[in-house]
Amino acid sequence: MQVKEVMTKHPQYLDADLTIREVANAMRENGTGFEPLGDGSQVTGVITDRDITVRAVAEGKSLDDKASSIATGKALYTFENESIDDVLQNMANEEVQRLLVLNDAENKDLVGIVTLGDIADHCNEDALAKKVVNAARHYH
């Protein structure tokens, strides 16, 4: 199975100049907890609902501060033709549950997001289920 078979298609990103409040509203409207931030046509970082609730509060940020001030600048990604096994190993190694999905190494266009939940929803084999659990271990 490949990433493109399970990913959530998400070809856009939020403007890096949006405020924390605007990103939180977009997450609510989109039903997401993870959004890439961009400038022009390039991803500049990612922001999670956890960044908003934990990092922003801990750092005393205003909801009117730029979301980029609490975003993670290192955007982890995979490619849509990667195998799910490789992606799960990458998630386990990086201790993340979400990755941006790019079309290929040459163009690097954002085409989606893949989450542990996306993979779990398509999990039909015991061996794959064990890999999902392993990738999520750091969350206990």
Side-chain angles (χ1 to χ4, degrees):
M1 188 171 7
Q2 294 180 324
V3 172
K4 64 184 171 187
E5 297 173 63
V6 303
M7 72 181 190
T8 301
K9 290 179 178 34
H10 193 288
Q12 72 275 352
Y13 47 85
L14 299 178
D15 190 303
D17 286 332
L18 291 178
T19 66
I20 295 169
R21 181 188 323 272
E22 290 169 325
V23 169
N25 283 329
M27 285 180 175
R28 181 182 61 203
E29 290 170 13
N30 297 336
T32 61
F34 176 88
E35 292 287 344
L37 298 178
D39 181 18
S41 63
Q42 187 168 357
V43 175
T44 60
V46 294
I47 189 164
T48 67
D49 47 5
R50 189 172 193 280
D51 291 330
I52 293 170
T53 59
V54 176
R55 188 179 293 171
V57 171
E59 294 178 8
K61 297 286 185 178
S62 162
L63 293 178
D64 296 318
D65 287 343
K66 285 189 176 183
S68 58
S69 70
I70 60 166
T72 301
K74 180 181 176 186
L76 300 176
Y77 62 88
T78 188
F79 298 110
E80 65 183 349
N81 290 327
E82 285 289 324
S83 77
I84 293 301
D85 289 338
D86 290 344
V87 168
L88 285 170
Q89 187 59 55
N90 186 9
M91 287 178 166
N93 292 345
E94 296 291 337
E95 296 185 346
V96 298
Q97 60 180 333
R98 304 166 178 127
L99 294 172
L100 298 176
V101 181
L102 307 179
N103 61 338
D104 57 51
E106 185 177 327
N107 296 320
K108 293 189 176 178
D109 292 328
L110 179 66
V111 294
I113 293 172
V114 65
T115 70
L116 280 177
D118 293 332
I119 297 168
D121 285 346
H122 292 83
C123 189
N124 298 322
E125 303 168 9
D126 289 343
L128 185 58
K130 288 178 183 178
K131 290 177 182 180
V132 170
V133 169
N134 185 53
R137 285 200 192 280
H138 68 280
Y139 289 101
H140 60 64

